[in-house]
Amino acid sequence: MTKVISTDKAPAAIGPYSQAIDACTDVGGFVFTSGQIPVDPATGKIPEGVEAQANQAFTNLRNLIEASGQSIDKVVKTTVFIKNMDDFGVINEIYAKYFTTPYPARSCVEVARLPKDVLLEVEAIVAK
């Protein structure tokens, strides 16, 4: 059984996808988020600079996870897509402010382009 998760505290889906899906099972399950980009859901604006964009993207991710009834502390896997690998150190420092030990497993990849030409996007899998 699956359940759609939606919140106005993260950017609305801009295509044929859900903000997140709760994959319910009798013994728990997982919440799978769509990629969160650094759009301020209240204004639709994208902050300038990698630090501000990283903080907004991770805030959006946290808000979406909380809307599912879960906590960011239950994240087991993240994937971070970044436009420039030279920004990895800054993004990593900000990442560490949102996640604590035991840290989730993570992949981080450089990509040619992201929606709205943002500098990063992050998605997560949350254990229930």
Side-chain angles (χ1 to χ4, degrees):
M1 181 176 166
T2 61
K3 175 179 147 187
V4 173
I5 305 299
S6 181
T7 180
D8 61 1
K9 292 183 179 179
I14 56 173
Y17 61 90
S18 300
Q19 285 178 304
I21 293 291
D22 185 336
C24 308
T25 68
D26 291 339
V27 293
F30 296 93
V31 172
F32 298 87
T33 73
S34 290
Q36 296 300 299
I37 61 174
V39 173
D40 182 328
T43 66
K45 304 281 187 200
I46 297 168
E48 293 198 27
V50 68
E51 285 184 50
Q53 286 195 19
N55 275 304
Q56 185 66 60
F58 289 116
T59 296
N60 292 344
L61 182 68
R62 183 187 60 217
N63 290 343
L64 182 56
I65 291 166
E66 289 174 355
S68 76
Q70 302 305 315
S71 164
I72 201 165
D73 295 333
K74 292 188 172 189
V75 171
V76 294
K77 171 74 168 84
T78 62
T79 305
V80 181
F81 305 94
I82 61 176
K83 190 169 180 177
N84 185 342
M85 196 55 79
D86 291 338
D87 292 334
F88 178 82
V90 171
I91 293 169
N92 203 45
E93 285 179 28
I94 294 164
Y95 182 98
K97 294 177 184 178
Y98 287 83
F99 298 97
T100 58
T101 58
Y103 295 109
R106 180 180 72 187
S107 300
C108 183
V109 294
E110 182 180 68
V111 296
R113 194 167 180 201
L114 291 162
K116 298 187 179 272
D117 290 318
V118 298
L119 302 176
L120 77 151
E121 180 174 0
V122 60
E123 65 184 23
I125 300 172
V126 185
K128 293 178 63 180

